[in-house]
């Protein structure tokens, strides 16, 4: 999946330059954690959209073995952390964020930003509300339902499986700011086009053709190998719905709010996808890290949809999806004011975070 580091570096350096800033000498000055799982897509998108990068302040590497990228977006000082290659999942996400919250004691909000598998709507009334590849899903609580559900944690009873794992709503500051982002988008007052244009200075983030977004019937299995891009799949098994060109005119940026289902496995089966969605409050996205990160009430999960979590899964849309998720995360940070976070305490109590040099 991932290209070599040499080719990626060459491609980026020919058309895009990182902006270096003065930064700060103290970990305590950073207030936002940006977490991602994939180096070649999610981490790259995060770095491209930082307004500037800083030299990482010194910290206790005897306790914290993570390596961080620090920078700034708008009024916020942001620390970006990524899972090691091949170490995805909720458990590894917890291993990453535990030391991070100690090293950076004044983290006020956490953004989990990356790709996931989309769950198409069943007979949507409005095609604009259906799920298409490249769309973004934000974990959002419904009426009495959580933003994130852990679908593989629970207990088996005589009448079936009872799910027990879930995550509380993101919190007042995040949900209120998210409403403003939505309102700004509706009246055309966001920087989404600017962020996407910045990402597309790196060719791998270029937009995809509408006909490359293919949704097959949940019961129809992929024909060919992983990289065949459905060339051997029979078109009559495609779901009959408005094409992407009509549903997303001019490549319009679309995001959805709803439940995200999180678990320890990659889902590549349309029938299992749909069943898990039904069991998880009609979840719109399936992913693998949210429960591991989201052990506090100030985490917003942002997922760009790279596939439909079925046997036709491939890598065609992963850069577009990762870029769109990062663009949404940046817009969110440009909307929420740094001064509005001042009253919040860091995620880890300060008396437990005196582990590194100040």
């Amino acid at each position: 999946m991932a290209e070599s580091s040499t080719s990626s570096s060459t491609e980026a350096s020919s058309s895009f330059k990182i902006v270096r800033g003065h930064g700060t000498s103290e970990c305590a000055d950073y207030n936002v954690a940006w977490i991602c799982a994939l180096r070649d897509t999610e981490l790259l998108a995060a770095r491209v959209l930082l307004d500037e990068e800083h030299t990482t302040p010194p910290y206790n590497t005897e306790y914290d073995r993570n390596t961080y990228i620090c920078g700034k977006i708008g009024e916020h000082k942001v620390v970006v952390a990524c899972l090691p290659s091949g170490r995805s999942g909720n458990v590894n996400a917890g291993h990453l964020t535990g030391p991070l919250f100690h090293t950076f004691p004044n983290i006020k909000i956490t953004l989990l930003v990356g790709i996931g598998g989309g769950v198409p709507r069943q007979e949507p009334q409005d095609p604009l509300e259906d799920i298409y590849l490249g769309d973004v899903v934000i974990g959002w609580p419904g009426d009495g339902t959580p933003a994130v559900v852990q679908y593989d944690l629970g207990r088996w009873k005589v009448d079936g499986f009872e799910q027990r794992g879930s995550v509380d709503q993101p919190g007042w500051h995040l949900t209120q700011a998210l409403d403003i982002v939505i309102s700004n988008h509706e009246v055309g007052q966001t920087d989404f086009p600017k962020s996407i244009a910045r990402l597309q200075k790196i060719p791998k983030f270029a937009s995809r053709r509408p006909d490359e977004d293919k949704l097959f019937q949940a019961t129809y299995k992929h024909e060919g190998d992983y990289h065949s891009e459905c060339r051997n799949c029979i078109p009559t098994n495609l779901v009959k719905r408005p094409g992407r060109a009509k549903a997303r005119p001019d490549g319009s940026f679309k995001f959805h709010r709803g439940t995200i289902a999180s678990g320890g496995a990659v889902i590549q089966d349309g029938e299992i996808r749909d069943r898990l969605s039904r069991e998880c409050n009609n979840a719109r996205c399936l992913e693998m890290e949210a429960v591991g990160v989201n052990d506090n009430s100030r985490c917003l999960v942002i997922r760009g949809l790279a596939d439909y979590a079925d046997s036709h899964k491939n890598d065609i849309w992963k850069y577009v999806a990762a870029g769109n998720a990062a663009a949404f995360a940046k817009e969110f940070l440009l909307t929420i004011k740094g001064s509005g976070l001042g009253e919040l305490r860091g995620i880890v109590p300060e008396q437990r975070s005196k582990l590194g040099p100040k």
Side-chain angles (χ1 to χ4, degrees), residues 41-64:
T41 51
E42 300 171 4
L43 177 61
L44 178 59
R47 296 189 70 177
V48 169
L49 291 185
L50 288 173
D51 294 337
E52 60 185 37
E53 277 196 16
H54 304 157
T55 299
T56 303
Y59 58 96
N60 186 346
T61 55
E62 291 295 320
Y63 167 76
D64 187 347

Side-chain angles (χ1 to χ4, degrees), residues 85-226:
S85 297
R87 298 287 188 91
S88 60
N90 288 320
V91 173
N92 289 313
H95 290 164
L96 177 74
T97 55
L100 183 156
F101 293 145
H102 283 276
T103 296
F104 296 87
N106 289 324
I107 294 297
K108 305 300 181 67
I109 59 175
T110 304
L111 305 180
L112 177 61
V113 187
I115 62 175
V119 182
R121 297 265 187 121
Q122 299 296 320
E123 300 181 359
Q125 299 296 316
D126 183 353
L128 293 177
E129 296 304 315
D130 200 2
I131 294 289
Y132 286 80
L133 299 184
D135 288 359
V136 174
V137 173
I138 301 97
W140 187 260
D143 294 333
T145 60
V148 177
V149 173
Q150 185 173 1
Y151 62 77
D152 55 2
L153 178 66
R155 57 189 178 189
W156 284 101
K157 303 173 70 175
V158 294
D159 55 350
F161 185 72
E162 179 184 12
Q163 290 165 338
R164 304 289 291 177
S166 64
V167 174
D168 292 335
Q169 65 181 19
W172 172 278
H173 292 78
L174 276 68
T175 54
Q176 196 273 339
L178 185 55
D179 283 337
I180 301 301
V181 174
I182 294 170
S183 179
N184 287 345
H185 186 52
E186 290 173 339
V187 297
Q189 294 185 4
T190 66
D191 282 340
F192 289 134
K194 181 179 177 180
S195 294
I196 297 301
R198 182 176 174 89
L199 285 160
Q200 290 181 349
K201 290 181 179 180
I202 298 179
K204 62 176 64 175
F205 287 105
S207 59
R208 308 299 308 191
R209 300 194 317 270
D211 63 356
E212 293 178 305
D213 184 348
K214 299 177 180 179
L215 173 62
F216 288 91
Q217 298 288 343
T219 55
Y220 177 64
K221 307 306 180 185
H222 178 68
E223 300 185 37
D225 62 29
Y226 184 87

Side-chain angles (χ1 to χ4, degrees), residues 279-339:
E279 294 172 353
C280 298
N281 309 315
N282 294 316
R284 300 189 185 185
C285 173
L286 305 177
E287 61 88 72
M288 296 178 63
E289 286 81 31
V291 174
V293 173
N294 206 335
D295 60 354
N296 65 87
S297 63
R298 299 199 299 274
C299 180
L300 193 66
V301 182
I302 303 168
R303 291 304 195 190
L305 303 182
D307 56 74
Y308 290 116
D310 58 10
S311 62
H312 306 277
K313 171 183 168 65
N314 56 48
D315 295 336
I316 295 177
W317 285 86
K318 69 175 184 178
Y319 287 102
V320 170
N324 286 352
F328 185 92
K330 178 166 186 174
E331 188 67 31
F332 178 81
L333 291 179
L334 292 174
T335 301
I336 192 168
K337 299 302 180 183
S339 58

